[in-house]
Tab-separated table of all heavy atoms in Angstrom:
chain	number	residue	atom	x	y	z
A	768	ARG	N	0.826	-1.190	0.017
A	768	ARG	CA	0.003	-0.013	0.001
A	768	ARG	C	0.829	1.251	-0.027
A	768	ARG	O	0.557	2.219	-0.690
A	768	ARG	CB	-0.976	-0.007	1.215
A	768	ARG	CG	-2.149	-0.921	1.032
A	768	ARG	CD	-3.176	-0.708	2.089
A	768	ARG	NE	-3.743	0.666	2.055
A	768	ARG	CZ	-4.689	1.069	2.901
A	768	ARG	NH1	-5.206	0.231	3.799
A	768	ARG	NH2	-5.149	2.292	2.770
A	769	SER	N	1.935	1.255	0.726
A	769	SER	CA	2.758	2.456	0.760
A	769	SER	C	3.736	2.537	-0.426
A	769	SER	O	3.947	3.625	-1.027
A	769	SER	CB	3.516	2.562	2.074
A	769	SER	OG	4.202	1.367	2.412
A	770	PHE	N	4.317	1.363	-0.836
A	770	PHE	CA	5.246	1.428	-1.986
A	770	PHE	C	4.498	1.713	-3.289
A	770	PHE	O	4.849	2.611	-4.014
A	770	PHE	CB	6.021	0.089	-2.078
A	770	PHE	CG	7.112	0.112	-3.147
A	770	PHE	CD1	8.372	0.701	-2.804
A	770	PHE	CD2	6.907	-0.331	-4.386
A	770	PHE	CE1	9.423	0.718	-3.755
A	770	PHE	CE2	7.962	-0.331	-5.326
A	770	PHE	CZ	9.166	0.194	-5.000
A	771	TYR	N	3.521	0.857	-3.588
A	771	TYR	CA	2.809	1.131	-4.845
A	771	TYR	C	1.731	2.196	-4.749
A	771	TYR	O	1.378	2.764	-5.752
A	771	TYR	CB	2.166	-0.220	-5.282
A	771	TYR	CG	3.165	-1.097	-5.980
A	771	TYR	CD1	3.889	-2.060	-5.258
A	771	TYR	CD2	3.500	-0.933	-7.348
A	771	TYR	CE1	4.876	-2.791	-5.869
A	771	TYR	CE2	4.529	-1.675	-7.974
A	771	TYR	CZ	5.207	-2.617	-7.222
A	771	TYR	OH	6.170	-3.362	-7.794
A	772	GLY	N	1.333	2.496	-3.509
A	772	GLY	CA	0.486	3.661	-3.335
A	772	GLY	C	1.226	4.914	-3.749
A	772	GLY	O	0.676	5.888	-4.307
A	773	GLY	N	2.593	4.967	-3.474
A	773	GLY	CA	3.389	6.106	-3.871
A	773	GLY	C	3.612	6.172	-5.344
A	773	GLY	O	3.861	7.244	-5.928
A	774	ILE	N	3.534	4.988	-6.052
A	774	ILE	CA	3.689	4.999	-7.509
A	774	ILE	C	2.367	5.338	-8.179
A	774	ILE	O	2.346	6.173	-9.102
A	774	ILE	CB	4.171	3.577	-7.950
A	774	ILE	CG1	5.541	3.289	-7.390
A	774	ILE	CG2	4.142	3.468	-9.465
A	774	ILE	CD1	6.002	1.858	-7.577
A	775	PHE	N	1.311	4.725	-7.703
A	775	PHE	CA	-0.021	4.981	-8.329
A	775	PHE	C	-0.700	6.263	-7.764
A	775	PHE	O	-1.701	6.733	-8.357
A	775	PHE	CB	-0.960	3.793	-8.022
A	775	PHE	CG	-0.439	2.472	-8.537
A	775	PHE	CD1	-0.834	1.295	-7.907
A	775	PHE	CD2	0.404	2.372	-9.653
A	775	PHE	CE1	-0.442	0.069	-8.321
A	775	PHE	CE2	0.820	1.145	-10.088
A	775	PHE	CZ	0.444	-0.005	-9.430
A	776	LEU	N	-0.192	6.781	-6.655
A	776	LEU	CA	-0.784	7.903	-6.004
A	776	LEU	C	-2.225	7.608	-5.488
A	776	LEU	O	-3.053	8.511	-5.429
A	776	LEU	CB	-0.775	9.170	-6.818
A	776	LEU	CG	0.620	9.617	-7.296
A	776	LEU	CD1	0.590	10.912	-8.100
A	776	LEU	CD2	1.607	9.699	-6.172
A	777	GLU	N	-2.389	6.410	-5.106
A	777	GLU	CA	-3.630	6.022	-4.415
A	777	GLU	C	-3.277	4.684	-3.595
A	777	GLU	O	-2.695	3.761	-4.163
A	777	GLU	CB	-4.830	5.797	-5.358
A	777	GLU	CG	-4.576	4.788	-6.525
A	777	GLU	CD	-4.976	3.396	-6.144
A	777	GLU	OE1	-5.595	3.174	-5.061
A	777	GLU	OE2	-4.577	2.486	-6.831
A	778	ASP	N	-3.634	4.672	-2.314
A	778	ASP	CA	-3.207	3.536	-1.494
A	778	ASP	C	-4.304	2.521	-1.285
A	778	ASP	O	-4.068	1.533	-0.508
A	778	ASP	CB	-2.606	4.022	-0.162
A	778	ASP	CG	-3.599	4.818	0.682
A	778	ASP	OD1	-4.763	4.959	0.233
A	778	ASP	OD2	-3.193	5.261	1.755
A	779	GLU	N	-5.419	2.634	-1.917
A	779	GLU	CA	-6.398	1.574	-1.868
A	779	GLU	C	-6.092	0.465	-2.895
A	779	GLU	O	-6.750	-0.562	-2.902
A	779	GLU	CB	-7.830	2.136	-2.179
A	779	GLU	CG	-8.334	3.102	-1.074
A	779	GLU	CD	-8.401	2.469	0.328
A	779	GLU	OE1	-8.888	1.315	0.425
A	779	GLU	OE2	-7.935	3.083	1.281
A	780	LEU	N	-5.139	0.752	-3.778
A	780	LEU	CA	-4.690	-0.170	-4.780
A	780	LEU	C	-5.781	-0.604	-5.735
A	780	LEU	O	-5.946	-1.752	-6.036
A	780	LEU	CB	-4.019	-1.413	-4.147
A	780	LEU	CG	-2.787	-1.062	-3.219
A	780	LEU	CD1	-2.197	-2.402	-2.639
A	780	LEU	CD2	-1.755	-0.284	-3.960
A	781	THR	N	-6.534	0.437	-6.172
A	781	THR	CA	-7.607	0.128	-7.132
A	781	THR	C	-7.104	0.247	-8.564
A	781	THR	O	-7.915	0.036	-9.551
A	781	THR	CB	-8.738	1.171	-6.951
A	781	THR	OG1	-8.248	2.544	-7.073
A	781	THR	CG2	-9.341	1.056	-5.548
A	782	THR	N	-5.848	0.567	-8.748
A	782	THR	CA	-5.239	0.615	-10.083
A	782	THR	C	-5.225	-0.742	-10.771
A	782	THR	O	-5.102	-1.792	-10.097
A	782	THR	CB	-3.827	1.233	-10.003
A	782	THR	OG1	-3.855	2.568	-9.512
A	782	THR	CG2	-3.127	1.200	-11.348
A	783	SER	N	-5.361	-0.787	-12.085
A	783	SER	CA	-5.415	-1.998	-12.820
A	783	SER	C	-4.203	-2.961	-12.535
A	783	SER	O	-3.054	-2.459	-12.447
A	783	SER	CB	-5.453	-1.738	-14.294
A	783	SER	OG	-5.197	-2.917	-15.125
A	784	SER	N	-4.486	-4.184	-12.391
A	784	SER	CA	-3.414	-5.161	-12.178
A	784	SER	C	-2.427	-5.222	-13.340
A	784	SER	O	-1.286	-5.623	-13.210
A	784	SER	CB	-4.044	-6.567	-11.933
A	784	SER	OG	-4.852	-6.968	-13.024
A	785	ARG	N	-2.844	-4.860	-14.547
A	785	ARG	CA	-1.991	-4.835	-15.713
A	785	ARG	C	-0.823	-3.815	-15.413
A	785	ARG	O	0.327	-4.086	-15.710
A	785	ARG	CB	-2.687	-4.462	-16.960
A	785	ARG	CG	-3.683	-5.524	-17.438
A	785	ARG	CD	-4.390	-5.082	-18.691
A	785	ARG	NE	-5.376	-6.089	-19.158
A	785	ARG	CZ	-6.212	-5.850	-20.208
A	785	ARG	NH1	-6.173	-4.701	-20.858
A	785	ARG	NH2	-7.020	-6.814	-20.525
A	786	ILE	N	-1.223	-2.645	-14.914
A	786	ILE	CA	-0.201	-1.600	-14.631
A	786	ILE	C	0.705	-2.059	-13.488
A	786	ILE	O	1.913	-1.812	-13.541
A	786	ILE	CB	-0.896	-0.241	-14.368
A	786	ILE	CG1	-1.624	0.183	-15.637
A	786	ILE	CG2	0.087	0.769	-13.848
A	786	ILE	CD1	-2.350	1.467	-15.493
A	787	PHE	N	0.091	-2.786	-12.476
A	787	PHE	CA	0.947	-3.249	-11.402
A	787	PHE	C	1.977	-4.299	-11.955
A	787	PHE	O	3.177	-4.238	-11.645
A	787	PHE	CB	0.109	-3.974	-10.383
A	787	PHE	CG	0.924	-4.772	-9.384
A	787	PHE	CD1	1.588	-4.161	-8.369
A	787	PHE	CD2	1.024	-6.160	-9.504
A	787	PHE	CE1	2.410	-4.880	-7.480
A	787	PHE	CE2	1.784	-6.902	-8.623
A	787	PHE	CZ	2.493	-6.250	-7.634
A	788	GLU	N	1.509	-5.259	-12.809
A	788	GLU	CA	2.406	-6.255	-13.354
A	788	GLU	C	3.527	-5.568	-14.168
A	788	GLU	O	4.733	-5.965	-14.065
A	788	GLU	CB	1.651	-7.227	-14.236
A	788	GLU	CG	0.872	-8.264	-13.480
A	788	GLU	CD	0.406	-9.411	-14.346
A	788	GLU	OE1	0.309	-9.238	-15.589
A	788	GLU	OE2	0.181	-10.516	-13.787
A	789	PHE	N	3.164	-4.601	-15.010
A	789	PHE	CA	4.157	-3.910	-15.836
A	789	PHE	C	5.177	-3.204	-14.919
A	789	PHE	O	6.392	-3.316	-15.164
A	789	PHE	CB	3.476	-2.919	-16.731
A	789	PHE	CG	4.422	-2.015	-17.467
A	789	PHE	CD1	5.195	-2.501	-18.503
A	789	PHE	CD2	4.573	-0.646	-17.162
A	789	PHE	CE1	6.115	-1.631	-19.179
A	789	PHE	CE2	5.443	0.142	-17.794
A	789	PHE	CZ	6.197	-0.344	-18.796
A	790	THR	N	4.709	-2.487	-13.939
A	790	THR	CA	5.609	-1.742	-13.085
A	790	THR	C	6.535	-2.706	-12.285
A	790	THR	O	7.744	-2.453	-12.134
A	790	THR	CB	4.830	-0.840	-12.075
A	790	THR	OG1	3.916	-0.017	-12.855
A	790	THR	CG2	5.712	0.065	-11.287
A	791	PHE	N	5.945	-3.720	-11.717
A	791	PHE	CA	6.749	-4.730	-10.997
A	791	PHE	C	7.851	-5.355	-11.903
A	791	PHE	O	9.009	-5.442	-11.446
A	791	PHE	CB	5.819	-5.833	-10.454
A	791	PHE	CG	6.476	-6.731	-9.446
A	791	PHE	CD1	6.272	-6.572	-8.092
A	791	PHE	CD2	7.406	-7.734	-9.791
A	791	PHE	CE1	6.836	-7.423	-7.119
A	791	PHE	CE2	7.974	-8.573	-8.901
A	791	PHE	CZ	7.706	-8.385	-7.539
A	792	LYS	N	7.438	-5.652	-13.088
A	792	LYS	CA	8.465	-6.190	-14.083
A	792	LYS	C	9.605	-5.196	-14.337
A	792	LYS	O	10.746	-5.590	-14.382
A	792	LYS	CB	7.760	-6.550	-15.356
A	792	LYS	CG	8.638	-7.209	-16.409
A	792	LYS	CD	7.845	-7.538	-17.694
A	792	LYS	CE	8.722	-8.092	-18.774
A	792	LYS	NZ	9.015	-9.547	-18.552
A	793	MET	N	9.233	-3.910	-14.452
A	793	MET	CA	10.262	-2.915	-14.733
A	793	MET	C	11.211	-2.803	-13.595
A	793	MET	O	12.477	-2.637	-13.782
A	793	MET	CB	9.614	-1.550	-15.044
A	793	MET	CG	8.764	-1.508	-16.311
A	793	MET	SD	9.745	-1.832	-17.825
A	793	MET	CE	9.326	-3.596	-18.112
A	794	PHE	N	10.692	-2.871	-12.348
A	794	PHE	CA	11.592	-2.789	-11.190
A	794	PHE	C	12.457	-4.009	-11.098
A	794	PHE	O	13.661	-3.934	-10.726
A	794	PHE	CB	10.734	-2.677	-9.880
A	794	PHE	CG	10.302	-1.283	-9.508
A	794	PHE	CD1	9.004	-0.874	-9.616
A	794	PHE	CD2	11.252	-0.403	-9.046
A	794	PHE	CE1	8.663	0.433	-9.309
A	794	PHE	CE2	10.900	0.896	-8.676
A	794	PHE	CZ	9.590	1.318	-8.820
A	795	ALA	N	11.938	-5.208	-11.478
A	795	ALA	CA	12.749	-6.401	-11.439
A	795	ALA	C	13.825	-6.408	-12.522
A	795	ALA	O	14.918	-6.943	-12.315
A	795	ALA	CB	11.794	-7.621	-11.605
């Protein structure tokens, strides 16, 4: 919630899982 909340600028994590997967892959 705090790490990806800071990326998406929302901490309920309602952002699409596609964007999460893409961002996680880029960090990896």
Side-chain angles (χ1 to χ4, degrees):
R768 284 190 63 178
S769 48
F770 188 82
Y771 281 92
I774 295 169
F775 302 151
L776 302 184
E777 56 89 11
D778 60 2
E779 296 300 316
L780 302 182
T781 58
T782 296
S783 166
S784 56
R785 293 178 182 174
I786 295 178
F787 169 78
E788 284 195 335
F789 172 72
T790 306
F791 192 102
K792 181 181 178 76
M793 295 298 100
F794 275 109

